[in-house]
Amino acid sequence: QVQLVESGGGLVQAGGSLRLSCVASGLTFGSYAMGWFRQAPGKERETVAAISRRSTSTYYSDFVKGRFTIFRDNAKNSVYLQMNSVQPDEAAVYYCAARLASPNVVHTRPNEFTYWGQGTQVTVSS
């Protein structure tokens, strides 16, 4: 049974930093491309960042470029999202997701991903 478990969410001040973690089990982690997504109330789920199996390729949405960093540790079955200069409108539930992929391919659309975590809430105080 595949499980993705996110952690690290919480309350952060505007302009502050937060690191999200996602630990995967029940799959061969190194065979999966990973992504981070977010969904705010009343809004569609949107892509934040994504990374290929071997970390050779990454993708960032325009609104997080230069502030967020996605990285993974295949030995720990984990993917991370370092969030810096977090803005109030970035409060949302953040999800990690996984899909089988070719080694150097990064996938960016939510509907491309097979497995999803339950999400972790990020709240931003202004």
Side-chain angles (χ1 to χ4, degrees):
Q1 180 183 358
V2 174
Q3 278 194 313
L4 302 178
V5 180
E6 302 96 336
S7 62
L11 177 64
V12 60
Q13 282 192 325
S17 297
L18 209 57
R19 179 177 291 186
L20 306 183
S21 300
C22 171
V23 179
S25 60
L27 51 72
T28 304
F29 187 71
S31 296
Y32 284 74
M34 301 297 295
W36 282 99
F37 305 84
R38 68 189 183 194
Q39 188 166 19
K43 295 187 176 181
E44 291 189 356
R45 190 167 298 188
E46 60 183 7
T47 306
V48 177
I51 190 167
S52 62
R53 286 170 49 180
R54 300 176 181 175
S55 304
T56 50
S57 300
T58 55
Y59 166 85
Y60 296 94
S61 293
D62 287 344
F63 42 78
V64 305
K65 277 181 183 176
R67 298 185 298 117
F68 290 13
T69 303
I70 186 171
F71 59 102
R72 64 190 291 166
D73 185 341
N74 287 355
K76 295 183 178 180
N77 285 7
S78 295
V79 62
Y80 306 91
L81 184 69
Q82 177 66 42
M83 305 165 58
N84 297 330
S85 300
V86 181
Q87 300 304 304
D89 62 356
E90 295 182 305
V93 177
Y94 283 71
Y95 300 90
C96 71
R99 63 152 288 157
L100 280 171
S102 298
N104 301 309
V105 175
V106 62
H107 294 273
T108 63
R109 294 190 299 270
N111 62 8
E112 294 183 289
F113 285 79
T114 309
Y115 301 108
W116 291 81
Q118 293 298 307
T120 186
Q121 176 72 51
V122 172
T123 304
V124 185
S125 64
S126 55

